[in-house]
Amino acid sequence: MIDFNNIGAVIFDFDGTLYDYRKISLKLIMKHPLDMFKMRAERDIRRNFKGIDFSNSETFYKYFCQKMKHRTGMNSKRTLDWYNKRYMPSMIEVLAQNYRYREKVLDLFKYLKNHSIKIAILSDYPLVEERMKAIGFTDEMISLCDIISSAQDTGALKPCARPFLEIAEKLNVKPEDVLVVGDRNDTDGQGAKKAGMKFLKVKSHKSFGTDWKEIVEGL
């Protein structure tokens, strides 16, 4: 089991960390094949926005819609309708049909709470709580989380430091006493580094790291 001594809070990434998101892009395309180019555009734009602090969600969506219009020809209204009423609901459906949270997540959350360690979830995508429920998180598991947040809703995608620092401030924990647990060095790891926090990389289907079983071993 990982040593959580001298840790006041843990910020968990969601996608790829609390569940294995292998082939999720393919499954989304299979659900809506005609949306393939829109989905590809969304992914490319998000990749280009990585690490940019837009200050707030309104500005983020403004630039997101501009880029989507350039790539797809859709105006802002059509883009937001597609994103909010089709793409994100489809993602939740795909998660519910194909994915499940990693083993012993509840045990890990209870261990942290029993040791007075606060818990936060920070995902880049919105509707975090809905997506948590889609992969099987119960109300009890969700209630153990002190903060559930979307970097996109703050207007700053990882590895921007601001979403991490805002969580630490809300939890009243010094950044140096926060451990970020994520599956990507370029987003979770760099974000933690910029915020002055510790980082634990989880092994994923794409890269090496600490095996999840090692994190929850002995709980």
Side-chain angles (χ1 to χ4, degrees), residues 189-205:
Q190 286 299 313
K193 182 178 180 179
K194 289 179 180 180
M197 299 175 178
K198 303 174 180 65
F199 177 58
L200 173 65
K201 186 180 182 304
V202 174
K203 179 181 178 181
S204 72
H205 64 277

Side-chain angles (χ1 to χ4, degrees), residues 44-189:
D44 290 344
I45 293 166
R46 180 176 292 274
R47 191 178 302 113
N48 291 332
F49 281 1
K50 185 175 69 176
I52 299 176
D53 193 334
F54 291 95
S55 299
N56 53 61
S57 61
E58 290 79 10
T59 305
F60 171 89
Y61 280 112
K62 173 185 174 182
Y63 284 98
F64 174 73
C65 289
Q66 288 179 0
K67 294 293 185 180
M68 283 292 285
K69 183 176 182 179
H70 177 73
R71 289 287 298 271
T72 69
M74 296 192 300
N75 60 26
S76 295
K77 183 180 185 306
R78 286 183 61 200
T79 292
L80 293 177
D81 281 347
W82 172 78
Y83 188 83
N84 294 320
K85 298 178 182 179
R86 184 174 175 94
Y87 183 58
M88 288 307 301
S90 295
M91 185 183 295
I92 291 171
E93 290 176 11
V94 166
L95 288 174
Q97 292 165 0
N98 299 278
Y99 298 92
R100 183 76 177 174
Y101 62 81
R102 295 190 189 271
E103 63 175 324
K104 293 189 175 182
V105 170
L106 176 58
D107 292 337
L108 176 58
F109 282 11
K110 285 183 174 179
Y111 173 89
L112 295 175
K113 300 303 286 188
N114 289 338
H115 289 77
S116 300
I117 299 173
K118 297 174 181 178
I119 300 170
I121 311 294
L122 177 61
S123 174
D124 265 332
Y125 279 96
L127 300 179
V128 188
E129 187 169 328
E130 290 87 344
R131 291 186 292 123
M132 292 171 70
K133 289 180 178 179
I135 63 169
F137 272 69
T138 63
D139 290 339
E140 178 188 10
M141 296 167 74
I142 290 173
S143 70
L144 292 171
C145 300
D146 297 279
I147 291 177
I148 297 173
S149 180
S150 159
Q152 180 176 311
D153 287 341
T154 71
L157 299 186
K158 303 171 188 175
C160 286
R162 181 165 62 84
F164 295 91
L165 292 172
E166 287 180 351
I167 287 175
E169 183 178 5
K170 289 176 182 177
L171 295 178
N172 196 28
V173 178
K174 295 179 181 178
E176 59 266 29
D177 295 331
V178 176
L179 173 66
V180 177
V181 179
D183 67 310
R184 293 180 56 171
N185 284 318
D186 62 332
T187 54
D188 309 309

